[in-house]
Amino acid sequence: MQDNEIDILIQVPEFKKNEDQVQYRVHFLNKKSNTEFENNYRYSELKRFHETLETLKTELPTFPKSYWWKSVNSNFQLIEQRRQLLDSYFQNLIQIKLVRESLIYKNFILVALKENDKKVQKENKTKRSENQIRKKTQQLGQFITPIPNPVNLPPTPEDKRSQSMQHTPKTCQQRNERKKSSKQQQSPILNYGGSKIFRGVLSNAAKQ
């Protein structure tokens, strides 16, 4: 049973292949409210929808067949051929009034609408978070002082380096000599009249 009062148009304009999985984009256009939405389906999901419609006991358009001896998902030409057949299937399906009034069909459209809303909300949330991050980065950039480039000191000439290396041993030698002389001055043993006496003994004799 066919009827010309069609509220929603259904098309399959393209497909999306991800590794071994293929999804067909089903586009819905509500003619009354002039709104549109879409959802992605695998072939097995659309086939399950068709098998559910068969319980209505009415004549349905031919659904694209599956091939057990060859893989459609590995061949872009076969995928495109299946997409065209699915597009033709939905264009013929919406012509059947009994299908459009069934709960199976209405639920199919309702689920697609909800999935589309979830997708849109997720995309909007991602855009808002990206805009917030961009604004915060711009605000922080106003208060961050740029780090100045390090000043490169001129290299030390090789002549000065060699001179400094030559003077270093002399300086150490002079320090050692000074330490020896200071130790000798503070030594408690003195030479007095050719004999060694302690500094303390000489000081006591002087006091007496």
Side-chain angles (χ1 to χ4, degrees), residues 10-132:
I10 303 178
Q11 295 178 329
V12 186
E14 62 181 5
F15 65 86
K16 179 174 64 175
K17 189 177 187 305
N18 184 14
E19 295 181 355
D20 295 336
Q21 188 181 63
V22 177
Q23 290 185 329
Y24 297 90
R25 182 167 68 89
V26 180
H27 182 267
F28 302 84
L29 174 62
N30 192 326
K31 296 172 62 177
K32 288 186 176 181
S33 60
N34 197 24
T35 57
E36 55 185 358
F37 53 96
E38 61 186 28
N39 194 24
N40 295 324
Y41 296 92
R42 298 178 62 181
Y43 170 80
S44 58
E45 294 173 331
L46 296 176
K47 184 178 181 181
R48 195 178 304 117
F49 167 67
H50 173 75
E51 291 173 350
T52 308
L53 288 175
E54 289 179 336
T55 60
L56 298 176
K57 305 300 181 181
T58 187
E59 185 178 356
L60 298 174
T62 304
F63 189 81
K65 296 181 180 180
S66 59
Y67 306 96
W68 60 269
W69 66 89
K70 60 181 176 180
S71 176
V72 175
N73 293 347
S74 60
N75 190 321
F76 279 91
Q77 185 176 0
L78 294 177
I79 297 173
E80 174 59 23
Q81 182 181 0
R82 176 174 284 179
R83 182 203 65 79
Q84 295 176 3
L85 293 174
L86 287 171
D87 184 72
S88 176
Y89 166 81
F90 278 105
Q91 289 182 16
N92 294 325
L93 184 68
I94 60 178
Q95 303 293 332
I96 305 174
K97 184 178 180 180
L98 182 61
V99 171
R100 295 199 311 270
E101 293 179 348
S102 66
L103 293 177
I104 300 172
Y105 178 81
K106 293 179 180 179
N107 185 65
F108 176 75
I109 295 177
L110 181 61
V111 171
L113 179 60
K114 289 183 177 180
E115 291 296 326
N116 181 80
D117 291 341
K118 289 180 182 179
K119 182 180 178 181
V120 172
Q121 290 176 3
K122 185 177 180 181
E123 292 176 352
N124 292 337
K125 185 177 180 180
T126 304
K127 290 180 181 179
R128 285 196 300 267
S129 61
E130 290 177 354
N131 292 333
Q132 290 176 358

